[in-house]
Amino acid sequence: DRKQLLKIVNVALALIFLDMAITGSFPDLFPRNVYHVIHEEMGKVFIFFVLFHLALNWNWVKNTLLKSKKSAA
């Protein structure tokens, strides 16, 4: 079900964001090869989850953001 999937995606986004914030703030705490995996590669995973999150919420995006642009024009 979409709502259950969205809950999982939201938790994953939060955890990945936290990981990226910590590793981005303190890169010297990690060996370079570890940093590469936990920051740079997780950035790619984060982008995937953001796109997946947008896809799951596309009707909301259309009805709020895109609709307001049309009515303003």
Side-chain angles (χ1 to χ4, degrees):
D1 139 85
R2 190 185 74 78
K3 285 187 178 186
Q4 187 65 27
L5 190 55
L6 194 54
K7 287 179 185 179
I8 294 167
V9 170
N10 288 343
V11 170
L13 277 171
L15 292 173
I16 295 168
F17 179 81
L18 185 62
D19 164 71
M20 290 176 49
I22 292 169
T23 58
S25 298
F26 307 104
D28 296 333
L29 294 178
F30 308 95
R32 180 69 186 136
N33 59 336
V34 173
Y35 176 82
H36 176 74
V37 171
I38 62 176
H39 186 78
E40 296 178 14
E41 294 301 321
M42 288 306 282
K44 296 172 188 173
V45 174
F46 184 74
I47 291 170
F48 169 78
F49 275 99
V50 167
L51 294 174
F52 195 44
H53 176 85
L54 285 172
L56 289 172
N57 288 295
W58 188 246
N59 285 334
W60 180 87
V61 172
K62 279 192 323 190
N63 292 331
T64 57
L65 299 177
L66 299 179
K67 184 178 178 182
S68 65
K69 283 186 177 183
K70 287 180 185 175
S71 56

